[in-house]
Amino acid sequence: MYVAVKGGERAIENAHRLLAHERRGDRSVPELSLAQISEQLGLAVDRVMSEGSLYDRELAALAIKQARGDLIEAIFLVRAFRATLPRFGATEPVDTGEMRVQRRVSSTFKDIPGGQVLGPTFDYTHRLLDPALAEAGDPEAPALASTSDAPMPRVTDILGQDGLIERSPDADPDVPVGDLTRDPLSYPAGRDLRLQNLARGDEGFLLALGYSTQRGYGRNHPFAGEIRFGEVEVEFFAEEIGFAVPLGSLALTECQMVNQFKGSASEPPCFTRGYGLAFGQSERKTMSMALVDRALRARELGEDLIAPAQDEEFVMSHSDNVQATGFVEHLKLPHYVDFQSELGLLRKLRQEFADANAVPVLKEAAE
Amino acid sequence: MSGDTALQEKRRDAMKVLSHVPAAEIETRMAALPVPPHQDLRAPESGLVMVRGRIGGDGAPFNLGEATVSRAAVRLQGGQVGFGYVLGRDGGKARLIALCDALLQSSDHAQAIEKEVVAPLRARMQQERDRSAAEAAATRVDFYTMVRGEG
């Protein structure tokens, strides 16, 4: 009922003014700068870029500040901003094999070419709150060690050399790359669309689904074949220039999950795989994504479809937290007319109930 | 390598270097050089590119998500047209890259741009990459050392 909304104009204006005041907090405390958010809350920025599906650290930091740290609200802001810009085209596919690796670990092989590089990680920390951080102070400078030019092949490439793992699907030049921001989803969806959906999907939702596969709801026996994080060069083929133009570098995280084997009458058994890729350092996200990507391949791999994580329509239509929050949160908007009609119906039903029950009482009284 | 290919590689290399360094540093180095008259062929503008990955890292492409990009095009009086494309929303940086790209195609200016702008910034970029690689290298696990230490 829009009449009621119209009557709330002043209230809304003042509510937004109060929101801005609360966002700022105590004015005697210095205000956050975007650089502070980007530099010191970097993983929040990474999450907003991933799920906002827009790589721009400064915009993500601005969204986090404006959303008072509510990351789903920030993701919503980024998605809305994205719709205001023209798209120049699509980049050349990035080559994660050429990543300038900051972190790279494998849980399947101890000795891999290029080694296990821990990088900046929470792993192996004791998860004890550090009271020293309550005070300002610079940490020690990072340790340095000599580097080598030895290549760091993907672990799946190493397994692939012996044919022990399935090959990645080849591109079909006749089929355009699916884009769910341009065309509405229909099912069954190709793996390209599924990965695009998962890449922008809610981390918590994917984490829970990935976890459910580990607990037996669509088990697929995963090993973290490799997780790598670092900078990848990105290039764009610009028609007017006639060659692929280097645009700069993006920080990406990639997870290669190695899963239980599969063979057939014509193919020897080999490991199968699930894939995760996301903007920034988003390890939990890419691991969850890889588990769910693998689960969603159940039909293709001839597995029984028994669990939520294997149900493409269920997963893909509930993974987007902007859509989900829109529909859940719209419940708090005025539904006065809807509710009035429900109320009218309920009163009528109650009256009918009362009438029906009143009759025997009267009869009894009469007897 | 033909002349065209060599020039193309030179332009790509310059674009790669310039896209990775702060705009202010390009500007400072350009300011020290004589720059011939030029005009905007395409005023700086910001937009998006859809970033693509590959399934499994090496398979068929898929759309990962978008990134902001700025672009500009500049024409020198001599006719050379330069293009600038760079991640982010800094249109001024795209314009600086376009100007360098145009100057690289001019025999009068190519050498100075390479020597005074691109080369020192390439060194700066490399220095940063080396530092970052050295920091990562210090976190490489040496299983043999651990075994000796415990034994």
Short mmCIF file of all heavy atoms in Angstrom, two decimals, chain A residues 48-108:
data_model
loop_
_atom_site.label_atom_id
_atom_site.label_comp_id
_atom_site.label_asym_id
_atom_site.label_seq_id
_atom_site.Cartn_x
_atom_site.Cartn_y
_atom_site.Cartn_z
N VAL A 48 33.86 -8.94 -0.62
CA VAL A 48 32.90 -8.05 -1.28
C VAL A 48 33.17 -8.01 -2.80
O VAL A 48 32.24 -8.00 -3.60
CB VAL A 48 32.94 -6.65 -0.65
CG1 VAL A 48 32.14 -5.65 -1.47
CG2 VAL A 48 32.40 -6.71 0.78
N MET A 49 34.44 -8.05 -3.19
CA MET A 49 34.76 -8.08 -4.62
C MET A 49 34.27 -9.38 -5.26
O MET A 49 33.70 -9.38 -6.35
CB MET A 49 36.27 -7.94 -4.85
CG MET A 49 36.82 -6.57 -4.46
SD MET A 49 38.45 -6.22 -5.20
CE MET A 49 39.44 -7.59 -4.63
N SER A 50 34.50 -10.51 -4.56
CA SER A 50 34.11 -11.81 -5.10
C SER A 50 32.61 -11.91 -5.28
O SER A 50 32.12 -12.25 -6.36
CB SER A 50 34.52 -12.93 -4.14
OG SER A 50 35.78 -13.39 -4.45
N GLU A 51 31.88 -11.64 -4.20
CA GLU A 51 30.44 -11.85 -4.24
C GLU A 51 29.71 -10.66 -4.88
O GLU A 51 28.61 -10.81 -5.40
CB GLU A 51 29.92 -12.18 -2.84
CG GLU A 51 30.50 -13.50 -2.37
CD GLU A 51 30.22 -13.84 -0.92
OE1 GLU A 51 29.16 -13.46 -0.40
OE2 GLU A 51 31.10 -14.48 -0.31
N GLY A 52 30.35 -9.50 -4.85
CA GLY A 52 29.81 -8.36 -5.60
C GLY A 52 30.09 -8.55 -7.08
O GLY A 52 29.57 -7.85 -7.93
N SER A 53 30.99 -9.51 -7.38
CA SER A 53 31.37 -9.86 -8.75
C SER A 53 31.96 -8.66 -9.49
O SER A 53 31.69 -8.44 -10.67
CB SER A 53 30.15 -10.40 -9.51
OG SER A 53 30.57 -11.20 -10.58
N LEU A 54 32.74 -7.87 -8.76
CA LEU A 54 33.38 -6.70 -9.35
C LEU A 54 34.74 -6.49 -8.69
O LEU A 54 34.82 -6.23 -7.49
CB LEU A 54 32.51 -5.46 -9.16
CG LEU A 54 33.06 -4.17 -9.79
CD1 LEU A 54 33.13 -4.30 -11.31
CD2 LEU A 54 32.22 -2.96 -9.41
N TYR A 55 35.80 -6.58 -9.51
CA TYR A 55 37.14 -6.39 -8.96
C TYR A 55 37.48 -4.91 -8.97
O TYR A 55 37.74 -4.31 -10.01
CB TYR A 55 38.17 -7.17 -9.80
CG TYR A 55 39.49 -7.32 -9.10
CD1 TYR A 55 39.85 -8.53 -8.50
CD2 TYR A 55 40.40 -6.26 -9.01
CE1 TYR A 55 41.05 -8.68 -7.84
CE2 TYR A 55 41.61 -6.41 -8.36
CZ TYR A 55 41.93 -7.62 -7.78
OH TYR A 55 43.13 -7.77 -7.12
N ASP A 56 37.43 -4.30 -7.79
CA ASP A 56 37.82 -2.90 -7.61
C ASP A 56 37.94 -2.69 -6.11
O ASP A 56 36.93 -2.56 -5.41
CB ASP A 56 36.78 -1.96 -8.23
CG ASP A 56 37.24 -0.51 -8.25
OD1 ASP A 56 37.75 -0.04 -7.22
OD2 ASP A 56 37.10 0.16 -9.29
N ARG A 57 39.18 -2.69 -5.62
CA ARG A 57 39.39 -2.67 -4.17
C ARG A 57 38.81 -1.41 -3.53
O ARG A 57 38.23 -1.44 -2.46
CB ARG A 57 40.90 -2.72 -3.83
CG ARG A 57 41.58 -4.01 -4.19
CD ARG A 57 42.92 -4.15 -3.45
NE ARG A 57 42.69 -4.45 -2.04
CZ ARG A 57 42.39 -5.67 -1.59
NH1 ARG A 57 42.32 -6.68 -2.42
NH2 ARG A 57 42.17 -5.86 -0.31
N GLU A 58 38.99 -0.28 -4.21
CA GLU A 58 38.56 0.98 -3.62
C GLU A 58 37.04 1.05 -3.50
O GLU A 58 36.50 1.48 -2.48
CB GLU A 58 39.08 2.14 -4.48
CG GLU A 58 39.08 3.45 -3.76
CD GLU A 58 39.47 4.60 -4.67
OE1 GLU A 58 39.01 4.65 -5.82
OE2 GLU A 58 40.24 5.44 -4.21
N LEU A 59 36.35 0.57 -4.55
CA LEU A 59 34.88 0.56 -4.50
C LEU A 59 34.37 -0.37 -3.42
O LEU A 59 33.41 -0.06 -2.71
CB LEU A 59 34.31 0.10 -5.85
CG LEU A 59 34.23 1.12 -6.96
CD1 LEU A 59 33.66 0.46 -8.21
CD2 LEU A 59 33.35 2.29 -6.55
N ALA A 60 35.02 -1.53 -3.29
CA ALA A 60 34.60 -2.49 -2.27
C ALA A 60 34.81 -1.89 -0.88
O ALA A 60 33.96 -2.04 0.01
CB ALA A 60 35.36 -3.80 -2.42
N ALA A 61 35.92 -1.17 -0.69
CA ALA A 61 36.20 -0.53 0.61
C ALA A 61 35.14 0.54 0.90
O ALA A 61 34.64 0.65 2.03
CB ALA A 61 37.60 0.08 0.60
N LEU A 62 34.79 1.30 -0.12
CA LEU A 62 33.76 2.32 0.04
C LEU A 62 32.43 1.67 0.44
O LEU A 62 31.72 2.15 1.34
CB LEU A 62 33.59 3.11 -1.27
CG LEU A 62 32.46 4.13 -1.31
CD1 LEU A 62 32.67 5.22 -0.27
CD2 LEU A 62 32.35 4.75 -2.71
N ALA A 63 32.11 0.57 -0.22
CA ALA A 63 30.85 -0.13 0.07
C ALA A 63 30.84 -0.64 1.51
O ALA A 63 29.81 -0.55 2.20
CB ALA A 63 30.66 -1.28 -0.92
N ILE A 64 31.98 -1.14 1.97
CA ILE A 64 32.06 -1.66 3.34
C ILE A 64 31.86 -0.53 4.35
O ILE A 64 31.15 -0.66 5.35
CB ILE A 64 33.41 -2.38 3.58
CG1 ILE A 64 33.45 -3.67 2.77
CG2 ILE A 64 33.64 -2.66 5.06
CD1 ILE A 64 34.83 -4.31 2.69
N LYS A 65 32.48 0.62 4.06
CA LYS A 65 32.33 1.77 4.95
C LYS A 65 30.87 2.22 4.99
O LYS A 65 30.29 2.42 6.05
CB LYS A 65 33.23 2.90 4.46
CG LYS A 65 33.12 4.16 5.29
CD LYS A 65 34.14 5.21 4.89
CE LYS A 65 33.92 6.48 5.71
NZ LYS A 65 34.93 7.50 5.45
N GLN A 66 30.27 2.35 3.81
CA GLN A 66 28.89 2.83 3.72
C GLN A 66 27.92 1.85 4.37
O GLN A 66 26.91 2.25 4.95
CB GLN A 66 28.54 3.02 2.25
CG GLN A 66 27.19 3.67 2.02
CD GLN A 66 26.94 3.91 0.53
OE1 GLN A 66 27.88 4.10 -0.24
NE2 GLN A 66 25.69 3.90 0.13
N ALA A 67 28.25 0.54 4.27
CA ALA A 67 27.35 -0.48 4.81
C ALA A 67 27.63 -0.76 6.29
O ALA A 67 27.08 -1.70 6.85
CB ALA A 67 27.49 -1.77 4.00
N ARG A 68 28.49 0.04 6.91
CA ARG A 68 28.82 -0.14 8.32
C ARG A 68 29.37 -1.53 8.61
O ARG A 68 29.12 -2.10 9.67
CB ARG A 68 27.59 0.12 9.21
CG ARG A 68 26.88 1.42 8.93
CD ARG A 68 25.64 1.57 9.77
NE ARG A 68 25.95 1.59 11.20
CZ ARG A 68 25.05 1.41 12.17
NH1 ARG A 68 23.79 1.18 11.85
NH2 ARG A 68 25.39 1.47 13.42
N GLY A 69 30.07 -2.10 7.62
CA GLY A 69 30.67 -3.41 7.85
C GLY A 69 29.73 -4.57 7.57
O GLY A 69 30.11 -5.72 7.72
N ASP A 70 28.49 -4.29 7.15
CA ASP A 70 27.56 -5.36 6.76
C ASP A 70 27.96 -5.80 5.35
O ASP A 70 27.68 -5.11 4.37
CB ASP A 70 26.13 -4.82 6.80
CG ASP A 70 25.09 -5.86 6.36
OD1 ASP A 70 25.46 -6.84 5.68
OD2 ASP A 70 23.91 -5.67 6.69
N LEU A 71 28.61 -6.96 5.25
CA LEU A 71 29.22 -7.32 3.96
C LEU A 71 28.17 -7.63 2.89
O LEU A 71 28.39 -7.37 1.71
CB LEU A 71 30.20 -8.48 4.13
CG LEU A 71 31.40 -8.17 5.04
CD1 LEU A 71 32.42 -9.30 4.96
CD2 LEU A 71 32.07 -6.86 4.70
N ILE A 72 27.05 -8.20 3.27
CA ILE A 72 26.03 -8.50 2.26
C ILE A 72 25.43 -7.19 1.73
O ILE A 72 25.19 -7.04 0.53
CB ILE A 72 24.96 -9.48 2.80
CG1 ILE A 72 25.63 -10.84 3.03
CG2 ILE A 72 23.79 -9.61 1.83
CD1 ILE A 72 24.71 -11.95 3.48
N GLU A 73 25.24 -6.23 2.62
CA GLU A 73 24.78 -4.90 2.18
C GLU A 73 25.83 -4.28 1.23
O GLU A 73 25.49 -3.68 0.21
CB GLU A 73 24.56 -4.00 3.40
CG GLU A 73 24.07 -2.59 3.09
CD GLU A 73 22.63 -2.51 2.58
OE1 GLU A 73 21.87 -3.49 2.78
OE2 GLU A 73 22.28 -1.49 1.96
N ALA A 74 27.11 -4.45 1.59
CA ALA A 74 28.19 -3.90 0.76
C ALA A 74 28.19 -4.56 -0.63
O ALA A 74 28.37 -3.90 -1.66
CB ALA A 74 29.54 -4.10 1.44
N ILE A 75 27.97 -5.87 -0.64
CA ILE A 75 27.92 -6.62 -1.91
C ILE A 75 26.77 -6.10 -2.77
O ILE A 75 26.90 -5.89 -3.98
CB ILE A 75 27.77 -8.13 -1.61
CG1 ILE A 75 29.09 -8.67 -1.02
CG2 ILE A 75 27.37 -8.92 -2.85
CD1 ILE A 75 28.94 -9.96 -0.24
N PHE A 76 25.65 -5.85 -2.11
CA PHE A 76 24.46 -5.28 -2.78
C PHE A 76 24.83 -3.94 -3.44
O PHE A 76 24.53 -3.67 -4.61
CB PHE A 76 23.37 -5.09 -1.72
CG PHE A 76 21.97 -4.96 -2.25
CD1 PHE A 76 20.88 -5.27 -1.44
CD2 PHE A 76 21.71 -4.52 -3.54
CE1 PHE A 76 19.58 -5.16 -1.90
CE2 PHE A 76 20.40 -4.40 -4.01
CZ PHE A 76 19.35 -4.72 -3.19
N LEU A 77 25.53 -3.07 -2.69
CA LEU A 77 25.92 -1.76 -3.20
C LEU A 77 26.82 -1.89 -4.43
O LEU A 77 26.67 -1.16 -5.42
CB LEU A 77 26.65 -0.95 -2.12
CG LEU A 77 25.82 -0.49 -0.92
CD1 LEU A 77 26.72 0.04 0.18
CD2 LEU A 77 24.82 0.58 -1.36
N VAL A 78 27.77 -2.83 -4.36
CA VAL A 78 28.69 -3.03 -5.47
C VAL A 78 27.96 -3.53 -6.71
O VAL A 78 28.19 -3.06 -7.83
CB VAL A 78 29.82 -4.01 -5.04
CG1 VAL A 78 30.58 -4.50 -6.25
CG2 VAL A 78 30.77 -3.33 -4.06
N ARG A 79 27.03 -4.46 -6.51
CA ARG A 79 26.25 -4.98 -7.64
C ARG A 79 25.45 -3.86 -8.30
O ARG A 79 25.32 -3.81 -9.52
CB ARG A 79 25.28 -6.06 -7.16
CG ARG A 79 25.93 -7.34 -6.69
CD ARG A 79 26.12 -8.33 -7.82
NE ARG A 79 26.59 -9.59 -7.27
CZ ARG A 79 25.79 -10.62 -6.97
NH1 ARG A 79 24.50 -10.53 -7.21
NH2 ARG A 79 26.29 -11.71 -6.45
N ALA A 80 24.88 -2.97 -7.47
CA ALA A 80 24.08 -1.88 -8.01
C ALA A 80 24.97 -0.91 -8.80
O ALA A 80 24.60 -0.43 -9.87
CB ALA A 80 23.35 -1.15 -6.89
N PHE A 81 26.18 -0.67 -8.28
CA PHE A 81 27.11 0.25 -8.96
C PHE A 81 27.52 -0.32 -10.32
O PHE A 81 27.57 0.39 -11.32
CB PHE A 81 28.36 0.48 -8.12
CG PHE A 81 29.36 1.38 -8.80
CD1 PHE A 81 29.23 2.75 -8.73
CD2 PHE A 81 30.40 0.84 -9.56
CE1 PHE A 81 30.12 3.58 -9.39
CE2 PHE A 81 31.29 1.66 -10.22
CZ PHE A 81 31.15 3.04 -10.13
N ARG A 82 27.77 -1.62 -10.32
CA ARG A 82 28.22 -2.30 -11.53
C ARG A 82 27.24 -2.09 -12.68
O ARG A 82 27.63 -1.96 -13.84
CB ARG A 82 28.37 -3.78 -11.18
CG ARG A 82 28.53 -4.68 -12.32
CD ARG A 82 27.67 -5.92 -12.25
NE ARG A 82 27.59 -6.47 -13.59
CZ ARG A 82 26.49 -6.44 -14.34
NH1 ARG A 82 25.39 -5.92 -13.90
NH2 ARG A 82 26.51 -6.95 -15.55
N ALA A 83 25.96 -2.02 -12.35
CA ALA A 83 24.94 -1.88 -13.38
C ALA A 83 24.98 -0.51 -14.06
O ALA A 83 24.35 -0.31 -15.09
CB ALA A 83 23.56 -2.13 -12.77
N THR A 84 25.75 0.44 -13.48
CA THR A 84 25.79 1.79 -14.05
C THR A 84 26.90 1.95 -15.09
O THR A 84 26.99 2.99 -15.74
CB THR A 84 26.03 2.86 -12.96
OG1 THR A 84 27.34 2.65 -12.40
CG2 THR A 84 24.99 2.76 -11.85
N LEU A 85 27.78 0.95 -15.22
CA LEU A 85 28.93 1.09 -16.13
C LEU A 85 28.75 0.26 -17.40
O LEU A 85 28.19 -0.83 -17.36
CB LEU A 85 30.22 0.63 -15.42
CG LEU A 85 30.72 1.51 -14.28
CD1 LEU A 85 31.96 0.89 -13.65
CD2 LEU A 85 31.05 2.91 -14.77
N PRO A 86 29.25 0.78 -18.54
CA PRO A 86 29.19 -0.01 -19.77
C PRO A 86 30.23 -1.13 -19.73
O PRO A 86 31.25 -1.00 -19.05
CB PRO A 86 29.57 1.01 -20.85
CG PRO A 86 30.45 1.99 -20.15
CD PRO A 86 29.93 2.08 -18.74
N ARG A 87 29.95 -2.21 -20.44
CA ARG A 87 30.95 -3.28 -20.50
C ARG A 87 31.67 -3.22 -21.83
O ARG A 87 31.06 -3.21 -22.88
CB ARG A 87 30.30 -4.64 -20.31
CG ARG A 87 31.35 -5.73 -20.06
CD ARG A 87 30.78 -7.12 -20.18
NE ARG A 87 30.01 -7.52 -19.02
CZ ARG A 87 29.36 -8.69 -18.95
NH1 ARG A 87 29.41 -9.54 -19.95
NH2 ARG A 87 28.67 -8.99 -17.87
N PHE A 88 33.01 -3.18 -21.77
CA PHE A 88 33.82 -3.10 -22.99
C PHE A 88 33.98 -4.46 -23.67
O PHE A 88 34.30 -4.53 -24.85
CB PHE A 88 35.21 -2.53 -22.68
CG PHE A 88 35.18 -1.12 -22.10
CD1 PHE A 88 36.22 -0.67 -21.29
CD2 PHE A 88 34.13 -0.26 -22.37
CE1 PHE A 88 36.20 0.61 -20.77
CE2 PHE A 88 34.11 1.03 -21.84
CZ PHE A 88 35.15 1.47 -21.04
N GLY A 89 33.82 -5.53 -22.90
CA GLY A 89 33.99 -6.87 -23.49
C GLY A 89 34.49 -7.83 -22.44
O GLY A 89 34.42 -7.55 -21.24
N ALA A 90 35.00 -8.97 -22.89
CA ALA A 90 35.52 -10.00 -21.96
C ALA A 90 37.02 -10.12 -22.13
O ALA A 90 37.54 -9.95 -23.25
CB ALA A 90 34.85 -11.33 -22.24
N THR A 91 37.73 -10.42 -21.05
CA THR A 91 39.19 -10.54 -21.11
C THR A 91 39.55 -11.89 -21.74
O THR A 91 38.72 -12.78 -21.87
CB THR A 91 39.83 -10.50 -19.71
OG1 THR A 91 39.47 -11.70 -18.99
CG2 THR A 91 39.37 -9.28 -18.94
N GLU A 92 40.82 -12.02 -22.09
CA GLU A 92 41.35 -13.33 -22.42
C GLU A 92 41.29 -14.15 -21.13
O GLU A 92 41.47 -13.58 -20.04
CB GLU A 92 42.81 -13.21 -22.87
CG GLU A 92 43.03 -12.31 -24.09
CD GLU A 92 42.41 -12.91 -25.34
OE1 GLU A 92 42.78 -14.03 -25.70
OE2 GLU A 92 41.52 -12.25 -25.93
N PRO A 93 41.06 -15.46 -21.21
CA PRO A 93 41.04 -16.25 -19.97
C PRO A 93 42.39 -16.13 -19.25
O PRO A 93 43.45 -16.19 -19.88
CB PRO A 93 40.82 -17.68 -20.46
CG PRO A 93 40.18 -17.53 -21.80
CD PRO A 93 40.77 -16.28 -22.40
N VAL A 94 42.34 -15.91 -17.92
CA VAL A 94 43.59 -15.75 -17.17
C VAL A 94 44.30 -17.10 -17.06
O VAL A 94 43.65 -18.14 -17.07
CB VAL A 94 43.35 -15.16 -15.76
CG1 VAL A 94 42.85 -13.74 -15.85
CG2 VAL A 94 42.38 -16.03 -14.96
N ASP A 95 45.63 -17.05 -16.97
CA ASP A 95 46.41 -18.28 -16.85
C ASP A 95 46.94 -18.41 -15.42
O ASP A 95 47.94 -17.80 -15.05
CB ASP A 95 47.57 -18.26 -17.85
CG ASP A 95 48.38 -19.54 -17.82
OD1 ASP A 95 48.05 -20.44 -17.01
OD2 ASP A 95 49.35 -19.65 -18.59
N THR A 96 46.24 -19.22 -14.62
CA THR A 96 46.63 -19.35 -13.21
C THR A 96 47.94 -20.13 -13.06
O THR A 96 48.56 -20.09 -12.01
CB THR A 96 45.53 -20.05 -12.40
OG1 THR A 96 45.19 -21.27 -13.06
CG2 THR A 96 44.28 -19.18 -12.30
N GLY A 97 48.34 -20.84 -14.11
CA GLY A 97 49.62 -21.54 -14.08
C GLY A 97 50.79 -20.55 -14.04
O GLY A 97 51.88 -20.88 -13.59
N GLU A 98 50.54 -19.32 -14.52
CA GLU A 98 51.59 -18.28 -14.54
C GLU A 98 51.47 -17.34 -13.35
O GLU A 98 52.04 -16.25 -13.36
CB GLU A 98 51.46 -17.46 -15.84
CG GLU A 98 51.83 -18.23 -17.10
CD GLU A 98 53.32 -18.53 -17.15
OE1 GLU A 98 54.12 -17.63 -16.86
OE2 GLU A 98 53.67 -19.68 -17.46
N MET A 99 50.69 -17.74 -12.36
CA MET A 99 50.46 -16.87 -11.20
C MET A 99 51.78 -16.54 -10.48
O MET A 99 52.66 -17.40 -10.35
CB MET A 99 49.53 -17.60 -10.22
CG MET A 99 49.17 -16.83 -8.99
SD MET A 99 48.10 -17.82 -7.89
CE MET A 99 46.50 -17.57 -8.61
N ARG A 100 51.92 -15.29 -10.02
CA ARG A 100 53.04 -14.94 -9.13
C ARG A 100 52.57 -15.33 -7.73
O ARG A 100 51.84 -14.59 -7.07
CB ARG A 100 53.38 -13.46 -9.22
CG ARG A 100 54.02 -13.07 -10.55
CD ARG A 100 54.55 -11.66 -10.53
NE ARG A 100 53.50 -10.68 -10.33
CZ ARG A 100 52.67 -10.25 -11.30
NH1 ARG A 100 52.78 -10.72 -12.52
NH2 ARG A 100 51.73 -9.37 -11.03
N VAL A 101 52.99 -16.50 -7.32
CA VAL A 101 52.39 -17.16 -6.16
C VAL A 101 52.84 -16.55 -4.84
O VAL A 101 54.03 -16.35 -4.61
CB VAL A 101 52.74 -18.67 -6.22
CG1 VAL A 101 52.51 -19.32 -4.88
CG2 VAL A 101 51.92 -19.35 -7.31
N GLN A 102 51.87 -16.22 -3.99
CA GLN A 102 52.14 -15.76 -2.63
C GLN A 102 51.96 -16.92 -1.65
O GLN A 102 52.50 -16.93 -0.56
CB GLN A 102 51.15 -14.65 -2.26
CG GLN A 102 51.56 -13.29 -2.75
CD GLN A 102 52.77 -12.79 -2.00
OE1 GLN A 102 52.70 -12.54 -0.80
NE2 GLN A 102 53.90 -12.67 -2.69
N ARG A 103 51.11 -17.85 -2.06
CA ARG A 103 50.80 -19.00 -1.22
C ARG A 103 50.44 -20.13 -2.14
O ARG A 103 49.72 -19.94 -3.14
CB ARG A 103 49.63 -18.66 -0.30
CG ARG A 103 49.00 -19.85 0.40
CD ARG A 103 48.10 -19.38 1.54
NE ARG A 103 47.25 -20.43 2.07
CZ ARG A 103 47.65 -21.36 2.93
NH1 ARG A 103 48.91 -21.40 3.34
NH2 ARG A 103 46.82 -22.28 3.39
N ARG A 104 50.91 -21.33 -1.81
CA ARG A 104 50.59 -22.48 -2.63
C ARG A 104 50.83 -23.72 -1.79
O ARG A 104 51.96 -24.01 -1.41
CB ARG A 104 51.51 -22.47 -3.85
CG ARG A 104 51.23 -23.51 -4.89
CD ARG A 104 52.00 -24.79 -4.69
NE ARG A 104 52.08 -25.48 -5.96
CZ ARG A 104 53.21 -25.94 -6.47
NH1 ARG A 104 54.35 -25.78 -5.82
NH2 ARG A 104 53.19 -26.58 -7.62
N VAL A 105 49.75 -24.44 -1.50
CA VAL A 105 49.88 -25.65 -0.69
C VAL A 105 49.14 -26.80 -1.37
O VAL A 105 48.17 -26.58 -2.08
CB VAL A 105 49.34 -25.46 0.76
CG1 VAL A 105 50.23 -24.53 1.55
CG2 VAL A 105 47.90 -24.96 0.75
N SER A 106 49.65 -28.00 -1.12
CA SER A 106 48.98 -29.20 -1.61
C SER A 106 48.86 -30.18 -0.47
O SER A 106 49.82 -30.38 0.28
CB SER A 106 49.80 -29.84 -2.74
OG SER A 106 49.26 -31.13 -3.03
N SER A 107 47.69 -30.78 -0.32
CA SER A 107 47.55 -31.78 0.74
C SER A 107 47.70 -33.18 0.16
O SER A 107 47.54 -34.16 0.86
CB SER A 107 46.18 -31.64 1.43
OG SER A 107 45.16 -32.08 0.57
N THR A 108 48.03 -33.28 -1.13
CA THR A 108 48.16 -34.60 -1.73
C THR A 108 49.62 -35.02 -1.92
O THR A 108 49.93 -36.20 -1.89
CB THR A 108 47.46 -34.66 -3.10
OG1 THR A 108 47.90 -33.56 -3.89
CG2 THR A 108 45.95 -34.59 -2.95
#
